[in-house]
Amino acid sequence: MSRFGSRTRVTTYTSAWMPTGDMVSPPSSVEYLVIAGGGGGGNYGGGGGAGGYRSSVSGENSGGGASAESALAVTAGVSLTVTVGAGGAAGTTATNDKSASQGANSVFSTITSEGGGAGGNNASTGGQNGAAGGSGGGGSNQNATGTGGAGTANQGYGGGNAAGSIGGANVNGGGGGAGAVGDAGQATVKPGNGGVGVASSITGSSVTRAGGGGGGKGGSVDVPAGTGSGGTGGGGNMGVAGSVNTGGGGGGGVAGNGAAGGSGIVIIRYADTFALASATTGSPTQTTTGGYHIYEFTASGSITF
């Protein structure tokens, strides 16, 4: 106390976080980007669909052309589960009918993104349809033409259809992406490209994620396979895998095996005028930049505000 009689303020902290100065409150809501694992590409088959894409970042889209969702309300002291979905397995040549698999879902609290649909296999019994998912897998062809799988509303687009057997080549469809439908196989003997992904600046710089995998081809005609779009989906050339932690679809196989889908990711942010999370598990990367606290989960865990 000074000689003029002014009072000295004493601040008592009872929580796990102890900032300097006045008490800093936890947030009441947070923004998120939740992307599921991408689907695997088919054996001589269609490209895998991208993992479902859900975003609440203002001014950015969710997958499937949807507007951003509402921020998620959170309660201080309540642990929220974070699950990062794995990419789907590729179709293989172990047996000609071995199917690729769907990507796994990613989850943040009540927000679930659906795993990407698998690309259809070039099966001995006929072409397979691409599987439905966050974005749908591309169709495959052998003796019968497979159709692309459906995407999930507000998460991603459908896969492309196979074109049929043209000039000795099986021309397969590309997997759907978060930003566009996968291309159909073309009558010019060109397998379909994967649908494009969606760009987000939730971490401060623009990154495109959740592109579909390119369609593969089979047969004696030497033509290039479809490519993964958006820089993140698996390219069809030699069955390139979807990029890790982007939810990209796996490419369809050219001379046999397809490729695996890429794993998903969960990113959370809120204004840095609020306190940092009181606890996390799963070792997320935490940064504070551009006026936001940002938590980037590349593996499953939890967060408590």
Side-chain angles (χ1 to χ4, degrees):
M1 182 177 296
S2 75
R3 64 188 180 87
F4 297 106
S6 61
R7 295 180 179 178
T8 300
R9 182 177 62 187
V10 177
T11 303
T12 301
Y13 297 101
T14 59
S15 68
W17 31 265
M18 298 181 63
T20 59
D22 292 332
M23 181 74 76
V24 180
S25 301
S28 60
S29 64
V30 297
E31 294 181 314
Y32 56 82
L33 175 61
V34 181
I35 304 176
N43 166 30
Y44 285 96
Y53 185 109
R54 296 185 63 179
S55 172
S56 68
V57 179
S58 179
E60 297 183 359
N61 282 350
S62 281
S67 298
E69 303 177 14
S70 298
L72 180 71
V74 296
T75 301
V78 176
S79 178
L80 302 177
T81 298
V82 175
T83 302
V84 176
T92 70
T93 55
T95 64
N96 198 39
D97 298 336
K98 176 66 175 177
S99 295
S101 63
Q102 182 174 355
N105 295 350
S106 287
V107 181
F108 169 45
S109 184
T110 59
I111 307 301
T112 299
S113 291
E114 299 292 326
N121 255 32
N122 184 358
S124 60
T125 54
Q128 293 182 340
N129 297 333
S135 291
S140 178
N141 171 78
Q142 178 165 311
N143 305 319
T145 301
T147 59
T152 299
N154 303 329
Q155 296 192 29
Y157 288 92
N161 298 335
S165 183
I166 302 171
N170 301 314
V171 186
N172 305 304
V181 175
D183 290 342
Q186 303 298 310
T188 54
V189 196
K190 173 65 170 67
N193 294 333
V196 297
V198 172
S200 175
S201 297
I202 189 170
T203 58
S205 58
S206 181
V207 179
T208 298
R209 304 176 178 88
K217 71 97 180 175
S220 58
V221 177
D222 185 16
V223 296
T227 59
S229 298
T232 52
N237 295 304
M238 301 309 294
V240 177
S243 299
V244 174
N245 294 129
T246 68
V254 176
N257 292 356
S263 54
I265 194 168
V266 174
I267 304 173
I268 301 160
R269 80 172 187 182
Y270 57 94
D272 65 6
T273 51
F274 296 103
L276 287 167
S278 62
T280 62
T281 64
S283 302
T285 299
Q286 193 281 317
T287 57
T288 298
T289 185
Y292 293 97
H293 294 314
I294 302 165
Y295 292 84
E296 189 168 349
F297 286 82
T298 57
S300 298
S302 66
I303 188 166
T304 304
F305 297 105

